[in-house]
Amino acid sequence: MSENSSSRVSERAAELRAQLHEASHRYHVLDEPTIVDAEYDALMRELETLEATHPELVTSDSPTQRVGAHPSSAFAEVRHEVPMLSLANAFSEEEVAEFMRRIRDRLDQDISDQGGPLTFSVEPKFDGLAISLRYENGVFVRGATRGDGETGEDVTPNLRTIKSIPLRLHGKAPAVIEVRGEVYMPRAGFEKYNAAARASDGKIKLLINPRNAAAGSLRQLDARITAKRPLAFFAYAVGVVEGGSLPATHSQTLRKLREWGLPVSDLVGTADGVEGCLDYYKRIGAQRDILPFDIDGVVYKLDDLATQRELGFVGRTPRWAIAHKFPAQEQTTTVEAIDINIGRTGAATPTARLKPVFVGGVTVTNATLHNADQVARLDVRVGDTVIVRRAGDVIPEVVRVVAEQPRGAAPWQMPAHCPICGSAIVREEGEVVARCTGGLTCAAQRVQAIFHFAARRAMDIDGLGERYIEDLCDLGYLHSIADLYKLSLADLLEMKRRADERDGTTPETVKAGKVATKWAENLIEAIEHSRRTTLTRFLYSLGIQHVGESTAKALALWFGEIDIIRHLPWPILKLVPDIGGEVARAIDAFFSQDGNQRVIDDLLARGIAITDTHAPAPKLRAKLDFASLLAEVEIPKVTGKRALQIATAIDSFDALLAAKATVLVAIGLPVDTQESLQHYLAQAENRKLLARCARAATQLPAAIPGAASQAAGPLDGQTVVLTGTLVALTRDEAKAKLEALGAKVAGSVSKKTSFVVAGSEAGSKLDKAQELGVDVWDEARLMEFLRGQGS
DNA sequence: CAACCTCGAGTTCA
DNA sequence: CTCGAGGTTG
């Protein structure tokens, strides 16, 4: 080795040591971590490797030479008679196999090979804080943190506040026993605590993550604060034992601990050999997101205690155990830009463009920042280093900015103009979202509107993705949704050729004279196929504000025909349950725009066939009388009661519009109501609305006698919620079948929910159901029920 | 008018 | 899946 490279190695080692010291100090002493675990691990491993190949570089104060950090002086020190161990880590299957091979090799030297795979006690690796609990004659006398493994801090009063730590053991426990385990904060408690903290307007500090929360809570000097934190405990090992003995294996020891009243996780078990351990790793990994607490891997411990003793230690890590870690769910990266995205409704959503980073199994490059408030809360700026998490769900989020990094430029602000169309971006009073005011003149909104139209749950045009829509719009083939139905195969191919030319992406095969046409043929076919549709899908696909699937369905059910719906004044729309003033006005406003009416004309003229037209619902007819309708118009001071009073004297909108002032006085209304009504009637706009109501009410066709009344199903009046993945049915099929039996299928669980159908990997909805004591069906029960109903 | 329940809209990656 | 906001209800 040359002089030069050896000095570089020693410099790097010194640098790593400094970084690790600093990080460890901030983490353990200041409770303010600056780097995530994965990074710390990576630095530590690098240093370990360096020291392994250059043993002369090992210094006595190297972070590799101890497990944790200095205990803070605020707590009394406790020496661990039996040191608290730290485990070697494995990050891949190869490393696990290597670990097991090492054990075998070592044992083979000493004793004859007994054949068969080794048995391991397998456990989740809880993401919390390791502690030791001392019981004397069955009574909890002292608890300490791990500290550096040799010496920890006495946090007995804090530990006493944790309900899952027994203050007295059951049965015949040894006279003195030290139980080791992990204090952690369950996710639900963490969320609940933070929700309260958020509501406290900054008075209570937010907890960063459950693990930090657990560590921080235990290190409170005032145990009353600890008591307010939702902490829990799992036992997983034993230290000192006097006046008693333990079983021959670790798994039996855990069982004993459970007998003595200590909480041991249900997830512990045993596994044989590499294969068994890896199976366990996968099984626990699959459950990771739905567990009620955080884990960062699993631990394999050789089950037989005698063999453990034989294998012994390397430094402070045992040869007989290893932690197999999951891919990190948190990483740090830098914010390269903060862009804004314009949605279908014009909503301007800030998005962080991140330096690509591998988190929880995928590479993340984007993370939504939701809105300007969120950006301000986090104070994220371009150039900042941030922690990115891929939590329980799939969607990455920026957790926080790492303090002490050189800050980027000025605080981020929502731009005043849309980056796509240049229109003003406006945030309405009291709203969280800012919106581009460009409407359909904004290219981004136009593309999103067409994309929505083509969506599976809307017109279901398969193969029409965002990219094609963008190109079709940019190159002038598509101006509105109606244009979709005049696209020809030739148009599509020409568009593709021009787009490729523009981007310089013309494939070699095309240059060679071959043109790929299959995609275009499929798309034309898909557009063709979408022509036949239902009224619900059609209404939904128009992308009217506030009209999603369920509102579209209500409209279809109540009014029956697009030609009726497209001309209704909002007070009549408001008669439909679940449609209030805001939504009704949005629908009316949509249809009041000539451009939108023209698009609908075009669509219908080009052969959109709505297959399920019918007469208005009978329930609607009953509500169309003058008094009910008048109450919906929202004339100040004219409530339902007053409307009724007015209606007894004046029997129609026409009569009301024609009524002289003297007539209004004669009705006997209170003076303020009279004035309000007269003032209302004096305005041309209002008179126009009333006239429209009058006309629409008389023009709505009568109900078809006897039609549309649905047969009563066995699930009438029941509300069902589906969650998780079903095997035999898709969610949509299950929904359709349940609805056919009269059930209402809702999206979220509440007290009103009759029962929840939980498939595999059910998430928070299942928790909610259990919390509220709502019945939960598994898929088998649902299938059996459906069979019983003959479906 | 507050509490509760729904619905709509937006979101990431393979 | 989650948040925000609209609608209904006591």
Side-chain angles (χ1 to χ4, degrees):
Chain A
M1 181 194 313
S2 79
E3 194 71 2
N4 203 353
S5 88
S6 125
S7 82
R8 238 184 292 129
V9 169
S10 95
E11 255 170 51
R12 178 61 185 155
E15 194 182 341
L16 287 168
R17 258 176 237 134
Q19 280 180 22
L20 289 164
H21 273 308
E22 170 71 6
S24 163
H25 176 71
R26 286 187 184 282
Y27 185 100
H28 291 281
V29 183
L30 304 180
D31 282 343
E32 277 174 1
T34 46
I35 62 176
V36 295
D37 289 1
E39 250 177 289
Y40 187 90
D41 288 344
L43 294 175
M44 183 64 101
R45 282 160 76 80
E46 189 184 344
L47 183 56
E48 279 169 3
T49 320
L50 279 184
E51 289 182 348
T53 46
H54 305 269
E56 74 281 4
L57 292 178
V58 179
T59 57
S60 64
D61 70 336
S62 174
T64 57
Q65 301 304 104
R66 66 165 170 213
V67 181
H70 286 295
S72 98
S73 50
F75 295 94
E77 291 191 358
V78 175
R79 268 200 80 74
H80 300 299
E81 277 176 56
V82 176
M84 288 183 77
L85 310 170
S86 68
L87 297 178
N89 292 319
F91 293 90
S92 66
E93 301 195 350
E94 291 75 58
E95 287 174 303
V96 173
E98 170 67 12
F99 159 76
M100 307 232 168
R101 203 177 50 73
R102 273 198 311 266
I103 292 181
R104 277 228 97 93
D105 287 353
R106 242 192 138 72
L107 291 177
D108 282 348
Q109 287 171 8
D110 302 338
I111 48 173
S112 62
D113 189 9
Q114 290 144 4
L118 297 163
T119 299
F120 289 85
S121 171
V122 290
E123 308 162 15
K125 186 170 189 309
F126 307 104
D127 206 1
L129 191 70
I131 55 149
S132 173
L133 306 171
R134 186 180 174 92
Y135 288 87
E136 291 175 4
N137 301 315
V139 177
F140 174 50
V141 293
R142 197 182 59 201
T145 62
R146 178 169 71 182
D148 63 5
E150 299 279 336
T151 310
E153 295 170 319
D154 186 338
V155 289
T156 311
N158 292 341
L159 291 171
R160 281 185 191 283
T161 68
I162 299 173
K163 296 192 187 65
S164 48
I165 294 180
L167 297 179
R168 178 178 285 278
L169 298 180
H170 307 171
K172 281 208 195 82
V176 175
I177 182 167
E178 260 179 41
V179 177
R180 269 92 194 257
E182 198 93 350
V183 167
Y184 66 96
M185 186 175 285
R187 282 186 193 154
F190 171 78
E191 296 300 338
K192 207 165 151 193
Y193 185 93
N194 266 357
R198 251 175 251 123
S200 80
D201 254 354
K203 273 192 227 90
I204 306 175
K205 252 175 87 182
L206 280 174
L207 303 173
I208 294 164
N209 60 44
R211 204 258 325 282
N212 274 318
S217 303
L218 267 197
R219 299 188 70 265
Q220 293 295 324
L221 288 170
D222 184 347
R224 283 170 303 182
I225 297 179
T226 312
K228 291 197 186 109
R229 306 283 173 86
L231 297 175
F233 173 76
F234 275 130
Y236 55 63
V238 171
V240 172
V241 183
E242 287 165 25
S245 64
L246 290 176
T249 67
H250 185 73
S251 52
Q252 285 165 358
T253 306
L254 292 180
R255 235 166 284 150
K256 270 276 178 250
L257 290 178
R258 201 179 270 149
E259 274 172 35
W260 293 332
L262 288 153
V264 175
S265 168
D266 295 336
L267 300 172
V268 304
T270 55
D272 291 332
V274 178
E275 212 168 292
C277 287
L278 294 181
D279 277 352
Y280 179 76
Y281 175 83
K282 282 173 205 143
R283 191 157 62 77
I284 299 295
Q287 294 178 57
R288 184 183 186 187
D289 289 343
I290 56 169
L291 292 177
F293 43 79
D294 283 350
I295 57 177
D296 60 353
V298 295
V299 179
Y300 313 132
K301 295 175 186 165
L302 197 63
D303 203 28
D304 186 66
L305 297 181
T307 320
Q308 278 189 10
R309 273 191 293 277
E310 190 178 335
L311 285 167
F313 296 79
V314 222
R316 207 141 286 135
T317 61
R319 287 205 180 85
W320 42 266
I322 197 164
H324 188 182
K325 296 255 195 135
F326 294 133
Q329 307 243 94
E330 269 190 12
Q331 284 291 356
T332 61
T333 185
T334 53
V335 177
E336 295 183 328
I338 298 177
D339 290 347
I340 66 169
N341 232 319
I342 305 295
R344 172 167 64 87
T345 61
T349 315
T351 308
R353 306 282 172 217
L354 306 167
K355 184 155 161 264
V357 62
F358 195 71
V359 188
V362 298
T363 305
V364 169
T365 50
N366 296 316
T368 177
L369 295 165
H370 296 113
N371 53 55
D373 286 357
Q374 173 77 358
V375 180
R377 238 189 328 267
L378 296 168
D379 192 19
V380 189
R381 306 179 193 187
V382 177
D384 279 353
T385 301
V386 293
I387 292 180
V388 177
R389 173 169 56 196
R390 224 168 144 255
D393 51 354
V394 201
I395 299 180
E397 58 175 346
V398 172
V399 183
R400 67 194 177 95
V401 171
V402 178
E404 324 273 327
Q405 296 281 340
R407 295 306 312 263
W412 184 83
Q413 277 195 324
M414 182 65 77
H417 297 281
C418 172
I420 308 295
C421 70
S423 307
I425 288 181
V426 175
R427 181 173 168 182
E428 293 292 332
E429 185 76 23
E431 296 239 315
V432 177
V433 293
R435 288 176 199 281
C436 160
T437 52
L440 288 182
T441 61
C442 176
Q445 290 187 55
R446 211 161 43 224
V447 169
Q448 293 295 318
I450 298 169
F451 187 61
H452 171 78
F453 182 84
R456 195 172 51 82
R457 316 200 64 114
M459 298 299 278
D460 190 20
I461 305 178
D462 203 19
L464 187 60
E466 223 170 311
R467 278 302 307 276
Y468 281 138
I469 299 173
E470 258 169 45
D471 288 343
L472 284 165
C473 285
D474 284 355
L475 297 171
Y477 294 91
L478 203 51
H479 304 95
S480 82
I481 47 181
D483 293 341
L484 282 172
Y485 294 93
K486 63 178 189 195
L487 286 175
S488 67
L489 192 63
D491 288 337
L492 290 177
L493 295 175
E494 189 185 65
M495 179 283 284
K496 183 79 162 81
R497 190 178 50 72
R498 285 174 55 195
D500 282 341
E501 230 164 71
R502 180 195 58 189
D503 306 336
T505 54
T506 309
E508 292 304 318
T509 49
V510 173
K511 286 181 193 156
K514 285 184 201 155
V515 179
T517 58
K518 191 66 187 166
W519 68 272
E521 285 162 20
N522 287 344
L523 183 51
I524 293 285
E525 166 62 27
I527 292 173
E528 203 51 45
H529 181 80
S530 75
R531 281 206 157 93
R532 279 178 62 82
T533 189
T534 61
L535 183 53
T536 302
R537 289 176 99 97
F538 183 73
L539 285 168
Y540 174 58
S541 69
L542 293 175
I544 304 167
Q545 298 226 349
H546 298 121
V547 179
E549 268 185 301
S550 123
T551 309
K553 192 172 185 181
L555 288 169
L557 241 43
W558 277 71
F559 300 108
E561 265 186 57
I562 183 63
D563 280 326
I564 293 173
I565 297 167
R566 67 196 289 205
H567 295 119
L568 288 173
W570 62 261
I572 293 190
L573 293 165
K574 229 177 117 212
L575 292 169
V576 179
D578 298 337
I579 294 182
E582 195 77 21
V583 178
R585 266 182 263 250
I587 299 168
D588 191 345
F590 177 88
F591 288 119
S592 298
Q593 293 192 15
D594 291 343
N596 291 333
Q597 290 287 356
R598 239 177 294 126
V599 166
I600 294 169
D601 284 337
D602 280 359
L603 285 170
L604 295 173
R606 290 194 184 131
I608 292 283
I610 296 169
T611 55
D612 60 346
T613 291
H614 61 88
K619 282 181 271 182
L620 173 66
R621 278 259 123 216
K623 289 193 178 190
L624 276 177
D625 63 291
F626 176 51
S628 315
L629 217 40
L630 187 59
E632 301 291 348
V633 187
E634 299 179 7
I635 302 169
K637 311 264 182 219
V638 179
T639 56
K641 216 167 74 190
R642 296 283 175 233
L644 206 58
Q645 197 181 347
I646 295 168
T648 49
I650 302 175
D651 62 356
S652 70
F653 280 111
D654 292 332
L656 178 64
L657 286 167
K660 295 262 173 348
T662 49
V663 179
L664 294 179
V665 174
I667 297 172
L669 294 168
V671 181
D672 58 343
T673 308
Q674 269 179 47
E675 276 170 1
S676 168
L677 186 55
Q678 286 186 356
H679 179 73
Y680 183 89
L681 288 171
Q683 289 176 326
E685 213 168 306
N686 297 334
R687 300 179 68 87
K688 222 188 280 171
L689 178 66
L690 295 187
R692 281 178 69 205
C693 288
R695 215 171 332 122
T698 50
Q699 281 175 3
L700 276 173
I704 301 170
S709 64
Q710 278 197 358
L715 294 178
D716 260 343
Q718 306 232 48
T719 304
V720 183
V721 175
L722 300 171
T723 183
T725 316
L726 300 174
V727 183
L729 295 171
T730 66
R731 211 179 253 239
D732 285 345
E733 286 163 354
K735 185 173 174 196
K737 284 185 191 288
L738 288 163
E739 279 175 344
L741 297 171
K744 186 164 149 39
V745 178
S748 59
V749 181
S750 71
K751 282 186 296 197
K752 290 188 192 164
T753 308
S754 314
F755 61 90
V756 171
V757 178
S760 57
E761 284 160 63
S764 60
K765 284 188 255 187
L766 180 55
D767 300 342
K768 184 87 186 273
Q770 278 155 355
E771 191 185 313
L772 294 173
V774 171
D775 260 5
V776 177
W777 290 19
D778 59 11
E779 182 170 356
R781 176 151 177 212
L782 174 70
M783 296 313 291
E784 196 178 323
F785 176 79
L786 290 176
R787 262 197 301 281
Q789 300 300 323
S791 99

